[in-house]
Amino acid sequence: MADRNITIRQARTNNLDGLNLVVPRNQLVVFVGRSGSGKSSLVFDTIAAEAGFQLNETFPPFARNRLPKWARPEVEHIDGLTPVIVIDQRRIGGNARSTVGTITDAWTYLRLLFSRLSEPHVGESNRFSFNDPTGMCPTCHGLGEVVVSAVERFLDLDKSLAGGAIRLPGFGNGGYWYTQYADIGTFDVDTPLRDWTASELEALLYGGQAAADLGHKPPKDYEGVVERFERIYLRTADNLSERKQDAIRKFTKSGTCPDCAGDRLNEAARTATVDGNTIGQLARLEITELLDVVRQIDTRIVGPVVAALTARLEAMVTIGLGYLALSRATTTLSGGESQRIKTVKHLGSSLTEMTYVVDEPTVGLHPTDVDSMVKLLEQLRDSGNTVLVVEHDPAVMRHADQVVEVGPGAGAEGGRLVFQGAFAELGGSGTPTGKALARQRAMKVTNRRENGKLTVTDAERNNLQKVTVGFPTGVMTVLTGVAGSGKSSLAQELVEQQQAIVIDQKPVSANRRSTPITYTGIAPAIRRLFARLNQVPAALFSANSDGACPECKGLGVFYTDLAFMEGQEVVCETCQGRRFTPEVLAHTVNGHSIADVEELTIDETITELPDARISRALQQLAAVGLGYLRLGQSLNTLSGGECQRVKIAKELREAGEPTTYVLDEPTTGLHLDDIDTLLEVLDSLVEHGHTVVVVEHNLDVIRQADWLIDLGPGPGRHGGTVLFEGRPADYGGHSTPTSLALAGAGRATAVRRGALTGRV
Ligand code: ADP
Ligand code: ADP
Ligand code: ZN
Ligand code: ZN
């Protein structure tokens, strides 16, 4: 009889401090703890990594190269693992051939349906696949889009032909228009194109009949600029060098395929119908509407197919994505949408005894949508799997079979098991999460006064229905509404119309060597401090000077290049990776050598390295709650939320002019405690004279805003209008999802916290 537990002994990955844990299988286990406490190190970098590593080992080497690479975690012993599937927030991204329909397999069922029922009969289901040569549109090869000439960028109207009016590469020398248009006497090579007649311009660009009307040759003898450009460059794009392709990219754009109008399919596939609808029409419907159509289909011949398709579409609706269409390219989905789609995909799987590892599934979800997400996780568990979830939302913890808290603090102050048990016991446990759940959070009493307004006018991006709305300046505004209601679309319009700046969660730097030291530029100040206090030259403390270890030249490591395996980093034996000579390491500040500095946290540095310049450079990072980062830690290891706070710190340090900042769900990855820190950080942006607009679902953040703009009422085309603009405190008594959620939370809060009168 197999062991029913996953057992972990002495885990030391990243900040884990010899952590021991026994997790029951076939349960829903929620991992909680402050940001940076080690939840991801435990769940992703230890459990998922070990399972992935062991699974890879069972494949022959050539197959292993095609599998995701897993670094073996630092752990003494793990057993009871089953194969792991990670459902993270990484966008599905890249591939232009992937749509909501293909990624969820709904498209497979729809194709099957068409292959059985379509009028006229077209053939097997591959004939409806845009990724199959027998189904794809021959013009766009199934992409639905083609590269077309950006004719408006071809000509510089202020110049003459002789002066280089044709901007395209290879058209400058005059030979071209001379051979083409010599017989048309009126093509004056010295007149700026602006002074040409419309028919002359037309003849130049398109040749053919337009040119024949002016000259003496038959239309086919005139090749216009556009035709020539497309013949030489576009139709042979695959054979061009990278540099040529770069050069012509400026003169092209992608446009809807003229043949299939974006349906991606060849003529037979895109014109056949079922109950009067083409497959393209169905793909463009919102999933909720598609469901209505599918339910009408006569199921006598195709019962199982309709049932499978209906189940898949219903799962999409349950998970709050009913507003998407199957034709939507996955490259345009948000992180939260991508994650929910991945979850649906796995729900359809009949594999059991898997371990699903899920990262913050509530991201992007309105409180009213969280319950359906939890149901999906429970469904995964009930079909015989183990579900491990990293999550900060109490609404998810409440449904866990077991809650595991890692902590108590972040970084070196975390990495230990501080709680394991039922959610009901967590509140009284005294752990950071337990205390945060029980605590009375200070309420904002007065709303700050705006000092002006930025107006977004007639916004029609995506689902917005000609929205005109004012954003008050000098205060914090929160943008709310159910997922898909249009919040991001409106935020993008604010960015475009009013030059707002987005502070997102993308990586701070692509460079692996980027650390808090390099990012804030404090290395010279640190060297000068060591020099001053030790009465020696500052250059000694530079890793490319005489003070450096002569063996590794101050790198601390050697790189070995192995022909068939990945390169290896080997620590230098002479300096043990400490990069400096023993003489240099003997010079200390407050007991820390220059090599120890990399191990100091930002908070420690501010107290231990007494230097105004260093403290000033670091104090904003500490203020945004990142005081636990080590000075030498690669910024590549930061989570999305941490990256966002690094960027806020930079703005606090550098922005002079009042600026408008837009933040999309800044609470992502934040523990309840850290949300207080975030709110303080946002407040300090406002106190510096800036305007802050946040897209957010977190009720605590919403209640702390000065102004609220609520979009809705529903997702997709059922949304896109402004339901409310005003102070959050005045948004009671409406029957909108946000007003109800605020009221619900308000009541719960009032009971728990014994406070909350009408004013927020
Ligand atoms: P959580 O998931 O609880 O927010 P993490 O497990 O991501 O926390 O991080 C725990 C600690 O380990 C943090 O101090 C973080 O900065 C650090 N850390 C995370 N990844 C790495 C890594 N690849 N290398 C070194 N330190 C890391
Ligand atoms: P929210 O931020 O409130 O979740 P969005 O502004 O992202 O909502 O989306 C509003 C609507 O616009 C949704 O129906 C969404 O599917 C659609 N949408 C968003 N981005 C795109 C896009 N790039 N192409 C087509 N539709 C989009
Ligand atoms: Zn096409
Ligand atoms: Zn060395």
Side-chain angles (χ1 to χ4, degrees), residues 14-15 34-41 411 628-629 633 637 642:
N14 299 330
N15 72 330
R34 299 195 59 158
S35 313
S37 63
K39 301 178 293 297
S40 312
S41 300
Y628 60 86
L629 292 183
Q633 185 172 339
T637 61
E642 287 173 327

Side-chain angles (χ1 to χ4, degrees), residues 475-557:
V475 300
M476 177 168 120
T477 296
V478 64
L479 213 49
T480 57
V482 298
S485 59
K487 301 179 295 297
S488 313
S489 306
L490 183 58
Q492 280 170 39
E493 283 291 315
L494 179 67
V495 168
E496 221 156 79
Q497 294 191 18
Q498 298 289 353
Q499 287 84 48
I501 290 179
V502 177
I503 307 186
D504 59 23
Q505 306 200 341
K506 295 201 188 109
V508 177
S509 156
N511 186 349
R512 194 167 60 90
R513 303 220 166 267
S514 174
T515 65
I517 295 185
T518 63
Y519 188 75
T520 55
I522 55 172
I526 294 175
R527 289 198 288 269
R528 281 197 301 270
L529 175 70
F530 270 79
R532 199 166 67 238
L533 298 187
N534 291 287
Q535 309 270 311
V536 290
L540 269 191
F541 301 101
S542 167
N544 47 24
S545 74
D546 290 350
C549 165
E551 203 60 42
C552 62
K553 308 266 185 301
L555 288 175
V557 290

Side-chain angles (χ1 to χ4, degrees), residues 547-687:
C549 165
E551 203 60 42
C552 62
K553 308 266 185 301
L555 288 175
V557 290
F558 290 101
Y559 297 96
T560 55
D561 210 357
L562 304 172
F564 297 105
M565 288 180 258
E566 272 180 68
Q568 288 260 345
E569 260 188 26
V570 183
V571 175
C572 169
E573 283 188 13
T574 309
C575 65
Q576 298 294 330
R578 297 173 63 77
R579 303 170 43 208
F580 292 91
T581 61
E583 296 74 45
V584 171
L585 292 175
H587 300 303
T588 57
V589 171
N590 269 331
H592 306 292
S593 74
I594 187 74
D596 296 335
V597 166
E598 299 214 330
E599 294 299 315
L600 291 179
T601 65
I602 286 170
D603 284 340
E604 286 164 356
T605 307
I606 291 173
T607 51
E608 308 267 310
L609 300 188
D611 180 86
R613 193 181 294 265
I614 297 175
S615 322
R616 218 177 311 126
L618 294 178
Q619 99 204 10
Q620 314 290 4
L621 284 168
V624 298
L626 293 175
Y628 60 86
L629 292 183
R630 300 195 174 283
L631 286 194
Q633 185 172 339
S634 164
L635 294 181
N636 273 359
T637 61
L638 301 190
S639 68
E642 287 173 327
C643 290
Q644 189 170 44
R645 280 180 286 154
V646 168
K647 292 176 191 178
I648 296 176
K650 181 162 189 269
E651 294 295 332
L652 280 173
R653 201 163 57 229
E654 291 173 4
E657 303 276 291
T659 308
T660 301
Y661 295 110
V662 174
L663 295 92
D664 201 345
E665 274 210 277
T667 59
T668 301
L670 291 191
H671 185 260
L672 298 165
D673 277 354
D674 302 313
I675 288 174
D676 288 345
T677 311
L678 173 79
L679 284 168
E680 283 165 22
V681 171
L682 297 179
D683 276 344
S684 62
L685 277 176
V686 171
E687 272 144 32

